[in-house]
């Protein structure tokens, strides 16, 4: 299998060549090992891990320690994939020194690039991180770290809102961001931004006319059948498949069909000659 090992430059080339980019979240070593063997272009160690792995209600609970720990685990599972790690809630709002320290920790843990939500009030921090030589992916539209002010609502339906997102996208590009995530914006708005920007635009709930798509790993695997926003597609009935395996294990323990003699260790003296 010929697997691409991406760089910032090759991702830019994907846009130029009109090759769609796939990005999947991942938070642990086991799944990272599997994703490493797939054709997925980018792994995102998203702060959504605070919800999917840790069970918190939203991403404001992701800490830098949590992000560093997940990034390290993913890098140990996937040694070659291009990994983007989220800068967690408020890490970019506590001054440049704090932001740079967090970025340093994430890069040392194995990230190739950092994703930062929003722009207003921290454009200078984004510029500083980029100037320091760290690639930054922007994130506009529905920004989950702002859940308490924005809610989980589609952004950019009204023309003035759409114009604001377009202007922010252009500003992020001129600051030097290498890519942009657009979350939950109308497809026409996302298409226009994708046409205007030279950098790749990766959508989630942003329609088809973008340069790529990102989804959360647990959603792709159908781990929670009741969680199905409009844009999510379950590519596997993972919950049912795994429940089946758990119950088979339980039943075979109860019926004493597990473990068999072959699945047991034996004393030297019991070995067949
Ligand atoms: O943390 C995450 O999963 C994300 C995606 C929704 C883009 O930021």
């Amino acid at each position: 299998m010929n697997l691409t090992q991406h760089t910032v430059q090759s991702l830019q080339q994907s846009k130029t060549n009109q090759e769609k980019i796939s990005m999947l979240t991942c938070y642990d070593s086991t799944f990272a090992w599997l994703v490493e063997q797939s054709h997925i272009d980018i792994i995102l160690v998203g702060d959504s891990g605070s919800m999917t792995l840790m069970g918190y209600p939203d991403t404001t609970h992701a800490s830098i320690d949590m992000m560093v720990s997940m990034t390290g685990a993913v890098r140990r599972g996937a040694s070659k994939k291009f990994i983007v790690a989220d800068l967690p809630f408020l890490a970019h709002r506590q001054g440049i020194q704090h932001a740079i320290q967090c970025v340093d920790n994430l890069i040392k843990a194995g990230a190739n690039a950092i994703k930062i939500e929003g722009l207003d009030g921290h454009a200078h921090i984004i510029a500083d991180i980029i100037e320091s030589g760290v690639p930054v992916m922007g994130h506009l539209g529905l920004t989950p770290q702002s859940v308490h002010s924005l809610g989980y609502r589609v952004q950019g339906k009204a023309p003035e809102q759409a114009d604001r997102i377009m202007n922010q996208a252009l500003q992020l590009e001129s600051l030097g961001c290498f890519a942009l995530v657009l979350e939950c914006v109308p497809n026409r708005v996302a298409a226009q931004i994708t046409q205007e920007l030279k950098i790749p635009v990766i959508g989630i709930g942003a329609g088809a006319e973008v340069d790529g798509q990102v989804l959360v790993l647990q959603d792709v695997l159908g781990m929670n059948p009741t969680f199905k926003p409009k844009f999510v597609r379950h590519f596997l009935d993972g919950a049912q498949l795994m429940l089946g395996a758990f119950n088979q294990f339980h039943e075979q323990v109860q019926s004493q069909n597990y473990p068999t003699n072959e699945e047991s260790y034996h004393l030297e003296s019991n070995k067949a000659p």
Side-chain angles (χ1 to χ4, degrees):
M1 201 165 28
N2 192 14
L3 300 176
T4 312
Q5 287 177 28
H6 277 291
T7 59
V8 165
Q9 292 74 21
S10 69
L11 290 165
Q12 182 61 56
Q13 197 57 46
S14 298
K15 172 152 184 155
T16 311
N17 298 347
Q18 297 184 331
E19 290 160 6
K20 298 282 186 187
I21 297 165
S22 60
M23 181 160 83
L24 187 62
T25 69
C26 192
Y27 320 98
D28 73 285
S29 215
T30 305
F31 274 113
W33 179 82
L34 260 180
V35 179
E36 173 94 317
Q37 295 168 70
S38 76
H39 289 283
I40 294 289
D41 292 304
I42 307 175
I43 293 180
L44 171 65
V45 184
D47 55 2
S48 52
S50 63
M51 302 169 75
T52 54
L53 277 204
M54 306 293 175
Y56 287 110
D58 56 61
T59 61
T60 63
H61 297 269
S63 66
I64 187 63
D65 290 347
M66 199 188 284
M67 295 308 302
V68 167
S69 169
M70 292 192 297
T71 303
V74 169
R75 177 51 84 204
R76 288 188 286 279
S79 61
K80 299 182 187 74
K81 283 279 180 204
F82 190 86
I83 295 178
V84 179
D86 262 331
L87 205 54
F89 185 58
L90 299 184
H92 41 289
R93 307 289 298 198
Q94 298 174 59
I96 187 64
Q97 255 189 324
H98 180 75
I100 291 285
Q101 188 57 62
C102 291
V103 170
D104 189 26
N105 293 346
L106 290 169
I107 295 291
K108 287 199 169 83
N112 299 104
I114 304 297
K115 178 162 76 60
I116 302 178
E117 288 189 14
L119 167 75
D120 297 344
H122 56 272
H124 61 295
I125 303 275
I126 295 177
D128 248 42
I129 295 169
I130 295 170
E131 260 181 47
S132 310
V134 175
V136 173
M137 177 180 272
H139 183 157
L140 297 174
L142 194 166
T143 44
Q145 290 173 10
S146 307
V147 58
H148 296 304
S149 56
L150 293 181
Y152 292 120
R153 267 190 296 276
V154 176
Q155 301 294 309
K157 279 190 167 181
E160 61 277 11
Q161 256 193 0
D163 285 350
R164 183 163 172 263
I165 299 173
M166 169 67 90
N167 288 333
Q168 289 180 323
L170 288 167
Q171 211 182 322
L172 283 173
E173 178 172 79
S174 63
L175 286 176
C177 284
F178 78 98
L180 173 70
V181 165
L182 271 186
E183 180 163 353
C184 290
V185 297
N187 57 353
R188 293 279 295 277
V189 175
Q192 242 186 332
I193 294 173
T194 304
Q195 275 172 23
E196 284 290 323
L197 262 55
K198 292 179 191 69
I199 58 172
V201 175
I202 301 177
I204 174 164
E209 290 173 61
V210 286
D211 301 309
Q213 300 289 334
V214 52
L215 280 176
V216 166
L217 179 86
Q218 280 73 3
D219 295 342
V220 165
L221 298 180
M223 298 301 289
N224 180 356
T226 61
F227 181 71
K228 185 124 182 14
K230 190 173 189 170
F231 60 85
V232 163
R233 187 183 295 177
H234 297 153
F235 290 84
L236 185 77
D237 193 354
Q240 272 311 109
L241 280 171
M242 289 194 192
L243 261 178
F246 300 157
N247 285 333
Q248 265 194 56
F249 171 49
H250 172 78
E251 281 151 21
Q252 297 197 11
V253 168
Q254 294 238 307
S255 61
Q256 298 181 43
N257 283 312
Y258 177 81
T260 61
N261 198 38
E262 288 72 33
E263 288 164 324
S264 307
Y265 293 108
H266 301 283
L267 289 169
E268 283 282 313
S269 53
N270 283 358
K271 261 193 183 163

